[in-house]
Amino acid sequence: MLRAARSPERQAGEQIHSGRQHKAEDGGKAITAGNERVIRARLADAKFFYETDLKTPLEDRLPKFKDIVFHEKIGTQAERIERIERLAAELAP
């Protein structure tokens, strides 16, 4: 039976997993191990993309922004970057 997570009927030690409430036979160790595997994989992906991004200096990426429309009424990403640079200079001279 599904019950709300904050239900007063919920017993101590019950786990909520995949929209289902049940008592984990192993105290949640299998669920924790599965979550840790998923998190490790996501962090490994993030590390790969971060390290790949570091190989190209930000300045080398700027020319590409001239061809990317930010919004049809207010211009390209390059124009947006220029506006943000001017605003930042005014806010923190």
Side-chain angles (χ1 to χ4, degrees):
M1 176 169 118
L2 287 177
R3 289 177 278 181
R6 293 180 185 236
S7 170
E9 301 166 5
R10 188 166 169 232
Q11 300 295 314
E14 287 183 308
Q15 302 292 320
I16 298 175
H17 179 64
S18 300
R20 182 172 167 232
Q21 196 170 22
H22 67 282
K23 289 184 182 178
E25 296 295 322
D26 64 355
K29 290 179 184 174
I31 295 169
T32 299
N35 289 343
E36 287 174 350
R37 270 194 310 276
V38 170
I39 290 170
R40 272 194 291 278
R42 297 298 175 265
L43 289 174
D45 289 348
K47 182 180 181 214
F48 168 79
F49 288 114
Y50 175 73
E51 289 173 348
T52 300
D53 284 350
L54 288 178
K55 293 177 184 176
T56 304
L58 291 176
E59 292 77 21
D60 293 352
R61 297 172 193 256
L62 290 175
K64 295 178 185 177
F65 290 123
K66 291 178 183 173
D67 300 324
I68 300 172
V69 176
F70 173 66
H71 190 282
E72 68 179 44
K73 292 183 180 179
I74 56 178
T76 65
Q77 284 286 13
E79 293 167 333
R80 176 177 171 258
I81 290 168
E82 290 171 7
R83 288 192 300 272
I84 292 170
E85 286 175 340
R86 285 193 306 272
L87 179 61
E90 288 181 34
L91 294 174

